[in-house]
């Protein structure tokens, strides 16, 4: 186990196996006009593993959004940090994020893309917290539902660190 990590919540093996399933769930609904939109930086690792399991012609775009600003709680405000937006015209957009917490990020991003000419917009998250979300929205594809606790690894950070862990873990008290 890595320094600062108290327990492994979802192992590397289990994560990888579930992503096989998620890729299939997405493709079974159709293989055409797919555009993967990765929400940086957290979804970088997950998205890279996900879209490499999708052997179809697809487009890839990234959006830089921020709501946690490196801490342990949502600031309640979703900031779009990009100055320009990709062209979503006629695309079946799949927005990929690491984790669904308050739901604010996914809802804001999906609304924005839907209003920008996309054919359709779906959402895929590796993790969703089992709690009452602040918005009236549910992600279309969910890897794992976890408790309402702060997790790191596999793209998810604490103050910019821990993104490189190959599993989903919980930090020890003294790492915080
Ligand atoms: P939401 O807008 O749904 O509240 O939050 C989504 C974003 O908050 C995620 O993309 C992620 O960046 C961050 N986030 C939410 N929960 C956690 C968590 O448990 N750990 C980490 N590292 N980031 C989280
Ligand atoms: Mg994020």
């Amino acid at each position: 186990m890595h320094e600062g990590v108290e327990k492994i919540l979802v192992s590397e093996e289990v994560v990888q196996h579930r992503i096989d399933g998620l890729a299939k769930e997405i493709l079974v609904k159709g293989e055409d006009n797919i555009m993967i939109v990765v929400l940086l930086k957290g979804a970088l690792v997950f998205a890279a593993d996900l879209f490499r399991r999708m052997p179809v012609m697809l487009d890839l775009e990234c959006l830089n959004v921020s709501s946690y600003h490196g801490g342990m709680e949502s600031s309640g405000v979703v900031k779009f940090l990009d100055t320009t937006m990709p062209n979503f015209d006629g695309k079946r957009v799949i927005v990929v994020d690491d984790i669904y917490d308050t739901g604010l990020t996914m809802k804001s991003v999906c609304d924005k893309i839907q209003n920008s000419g996309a054919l359709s917009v779906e959402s895929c998250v590796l993790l969703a917290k089992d709690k009452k979300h602040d918005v009236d929205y549910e992600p279309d594809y969910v890897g794992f539902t976890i408790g309402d606790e702060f997790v790191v690894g596999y793209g998810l950070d604490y103050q910019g660190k821990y993104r490189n862990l190959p599993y989903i873990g919980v930090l020890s008290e003294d790492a915080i």
Side-chain angles (χ1 to χ4, degrees):
M1 201 136 41
H2 296 73
E3 195 188 319
V5 178
E6 188 177 86
K7 72 170 178 193
I8 295 176
L9 201 63
V10 192
S11 72
E12 180 174 5
E13 204 190 356
V14 172
V15 166
Q16 294 299 325
H17 181 71
R18 180 66 186 109
I19 299 175
D20 286 338
L22 286 172
K24 288 191 185 109
E25 282 176 41
I26 292 169
L27 293 182
V28 101
K29 295 221 177 133
E31 298 190 352
D32 299 333
N33 308 315
I34 294 179
M35 177 188 274
I36 300 290
V37 172
V38 186
L39 302 189
L40 299 176
K41 301 169 193 162
L44 180 73
V45 182
F46 169 45
D49 280 340
L50 179 71
F51 69 71
R52 284 183 297 166
R53 286 170 166 88
M54 300 171 63
V56 297
M57 294 291 255
L58 55 76
D59 294 297
L60 176 67
E61 294 288 350
C62 296
L63 288 182
N64 220 325
V65 296
S66 172
S67 63
Y68 263 49
H69 316 307
M72 294 181 77
E73 259 178 55
S74 173
S75 67
V77 180
V78 181
K79 274 201 205 149
F80 287 82
L81 306 172
D82 300 281
T83 47
T84 57
M85 276 289 183
N87 181 1
F88 301 112
D89 284 355
K91 297 295 178 190
R92 174 188 170 202
V93 176
I94 317 279
V95 181
V96 180
D97 204 3
D98 47 8
I99 189 164
Y100 191 78
D101 180 18
T102 64
L104 223 84
T105 303
M106 197 49 105
K107 173 94 169 68
S108 315
V109 171
C110 289
D111 284 353
K112 201 173 169 101
I113 295 175
Q114 191 65 75
N115 294 330
S116 308
L119 186 66
S120 61
V121 185
E122 292 153 84
S123 54
C124 178
V125 292
L126 180 66
L127 307 168
K129 288 190 185 172
D130 187 14
K131 65 190 260 190
K132 196 178 174 309
H133 306 289
D134 295 0
V135 294
D136 184 18
Y137 179 84
E138 288 296 328
D140 298 285
Y141 310 94
V142 176
F144 303 94
T145 301
I146 61 167
D148 188 10
E149 60 185 329
F150 187 78
V151 293
V152 295
Y154 200 70
L156 291 132
D157 75 309
Y158 173 59
Q159 296 190 338
K161 303 291 189 285
Y162 302 101
R163 294 192 195 275
N164 55 331
L165 306 185
Y167 51 76
I168 304 294
V170 178
L171 291 179
S172 62
E173 290 278 317
D174 47 286
I176 295 163

